[in-house]
């Protein structure tokens, strides 16, 4: 179990019964690398929300962040859906046990399903935008200099990246998609399999159009 920290970089970790249940479930299901990554996603997302003066429910942001990679794990992985959709479905099923409005459940679902689809989340409601902002900061370093060094340091002291996080997260993405490579069509995970799976063959959108059954 990770040590209990109530406030990190000025951000309060949600501690409702629902948030605690989510923490326990994710910690028991995911690898340590993904668990700490998910907590950092929440923290960086929340810090971005504060900087942008966005109004949002921290508890829903927490659920979106904590579940965003659950679809990588065998327990929640389907045979045919993108892992992002599997994670979104897992969060929706989890929230069904709590008194959460349908629109808010939809926001959490979208925040997870869209977190690897660049160019869209920032135009959606705050929960959706901030989960992606947290992911992009932690994985890609997008907006890195917008977070003061003290914030970055405190977040990573509480939830360490480790020396090999970059390679570890790529391996996690690969394991989450290698058995269903067709789900990478049109999204960034095609880049992951292209780099890490020698047998992977990227589908070409232009060729699909040219080879469709239409005459012209």
């Amino acid at each position: 179990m990770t040590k209990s920290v109530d406030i990190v970089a000025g951000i309060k970790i949600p501690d409702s019964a629902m948030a605690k249940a989510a923490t326990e479930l994710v910690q028991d299901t995911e690898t340590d690398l993904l668990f700490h990554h998910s907590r950092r996603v929440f923290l960086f997302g929340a810090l971005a929300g504060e900087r942008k003066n966005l109004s949002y429910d921290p508890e829903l942001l927490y659920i979106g962040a904590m579940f965003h990679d659950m679809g990588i794990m065998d327990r929640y992985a389907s045979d045919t859906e993108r892992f992002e959709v599997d994670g979104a479905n897992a969060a929706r099923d989890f929230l069904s046990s709590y008194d959460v409005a349908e629109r808010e459940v939809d926001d959490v679902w979208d925040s997870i399903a869209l977190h690897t689809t660049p160019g869209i989340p920032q135009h959606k409601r705050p929960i959706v935008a901030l989960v992606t902002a947290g992911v992009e900061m932690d994985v890609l370093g997008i907006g890195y200099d917008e977070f003061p060094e003290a914030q970055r340091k405190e977040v990573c002291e509480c939830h360490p990246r480790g020396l090999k996080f970059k390679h570890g997260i790529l391996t996690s993405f690969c394991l989450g998609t290698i058995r269903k490579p067709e789900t990478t069509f049109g999204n960034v995970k095609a880049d992951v399999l292209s780099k890490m799976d020698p047998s992977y063959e990227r589908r070409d959108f232009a060729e699909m159009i040219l080879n469709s059954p239409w005459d012209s």
Side-chain angles (χ1 to χ4, degrees):
M1 298 287 288
T2 190
K3 65 180 180 179
S4 177
V5 178
D6 296 327
I7 299 176
V8 180
I11 300 297
K12 185 178 187 301
I13 303 294
D15 61 356
S16 66
M18 183 173 77
K20 289 179 178 178
T23 300
E24 183 176 353
L25 175 61
V26 175
Q27 196 164 34
D28 288 346
T29 303
E30 292 188 346
T31 63
D32 285 346
L33 180 144
L34 289 177
F35 173 79
H36 287 296
H37 163 58
S38 296
R39 293 270 283 208
R40 293 194 305 272
V41 166
F42 165 72
L43 291 165
F44 287 133
L47 288 166
E50 283 195 346
R51 187 173 66 249
K52 297 175 182 179
N53 293 316
L54 296 179
S55 177
Y56 65 92
D57 185 328
E59 192 172 32
L60 295 179
L61 176 61
Y62 187 73
I63 300 299
M66 295 306 290
F67 275 82
H68 84 276
D69 277 339
M70 284 286 266
I72 289 175
M73 310 310 296
D74 288 346
R75 177 176 174 181
Y76 293 101
S78 68
D79 292 333
T80 58
E81 297 288 356
R82 288 174 57 166
F83 89 86
E84 300 95 329
V85 171
D86 288 335
N89 288 341
R92 183 173 59 196
D93 291 344
F94 172 83
L95 289 171
S96 69
S97 299
Y98 298 89
D99 184 21
V100 180
E102 183 177 357
R103 185 178 185 184
E104 294 176 333
V105 173
D106 287 344
D107 281 349
V108 172
W109 195 96
D110 283 351
S111 76
I112 300 169
L114 292 173
H115 82 267
T116 61
T117 305
I120 294 177
Q122 65 263 36
H123 301 291
K124 301 282 285 183
R125 282 158 56 87
I127 295 299
V128 184
L130 293 177
V131 168
T132 292
V135 171
E136 290 181 342
M137 167 57 178
D138 199 51
V139 177
L140 301 172
I142 294 175
Y144 183 89
D145 291 330
E146 297 175 2
F147 296 84
E149 182 180 358
Q151 288 183 345
R152 300 194 305 261
K153 182 178 180 181
E154 186 171 347
V155 168
C156 293
E157 283 179 347
C158 291
H159 294 287
R161 290 175 62 86
L163 295 176
K164 297 182 179 180
F165 174 74
K166 292 179 179 180
H167 294 286
I169 197 68
L170 281 172
T171 299
S172 298
F173 293 154
C174 180
L175 292 175
T177 54
I178 197 168
R179 289 176 296 181
K180 44 184 180 180
E182 67 282 354
T183 65
T184 66
F185 176 64
N187 67 78
V188 296
K189 293 306 181 284
D191 294 336
V192 174
L193 289 190
S194 290
K195 189 173 188 65
M196 304 191 71
D197 178 10
S199 67
Y200 175 69
E201 295 183 6
R202 185 191 293 266
R203 297 175 68 189
D204 187 294
F205 179 65
E207 289 299 318
M208 290 179 68
I209 294 175
L210 295 172
N211 294 320
S212 77
W214 292 101
D215 293 334
S216 61

